[in-house]
Amino acid sequence: MPAPPPFPVIEQPKPKLTWHQYVWIGWPTIPIAAGGAIGGACGGAAMAINYKVFQKTNNPVLRYVWTGLISLAAVVTYVVCATIIYMLIHRNH
């Protein structure tokens, strides 16, 4: 069993996000209006992941690059899932 550190570890408080950062993190939830549950699942998951990435990434440029890619992946996932479900419902017998 490793020995405890000789001094207490103090975690630094997480910096508060600005309003435009919250907008950037949350824009993938827009498909909820048109996509219902599928849009909500994809957008909500992307928003939660984006929030964690914003908190843990120190480089400000990479924050926006990673979260932009995550948001784009969420939108693509929504379109693919919605298309598959639409095709399954409206296929000819």
Side-chain angles (χ1 to χ4, degrees), residues 28-75:
T29 58
I30 291 172
I32 292 173
I38 300 168
C42 294
M47 191 170 91
I49 294 168
N50 284 347
Y51 185 76
K52 289 291 183 187
V53 168
F54 246 85
Q55 286 184 330
K56 295 185 184 254
T57 305
N58 292 328
N59 186 322
V61 174
L62 286 180
R63 282 181 183 167
Y64 288 95
V65 170
W66 292 127
T67 55
L69 291 172
I70 291 165
S71 299
L72 181 64
V75 172

Side-chain angles (χ1 to χ4, degrees), residues 7-15 52 55-56:
F7 49 88
V9 177
I10 300 173
E11 284 194 37
Q12 296 296 324
K14 304 267 191 261
K52 289 291 183 187
Q55 286 184 330
K56 295 185 184 254

Side-chain angles (χ1 to χ4, degrees), residues 68-86:
L69 291 172
I70 291 165
S71 299
L72 181 64
V75 172
V76 169
T77 302
Y78 162 71
V79 170
V80 168
C81 290
T83 302
I84 290 171
I85 291 172
Y86 179 85

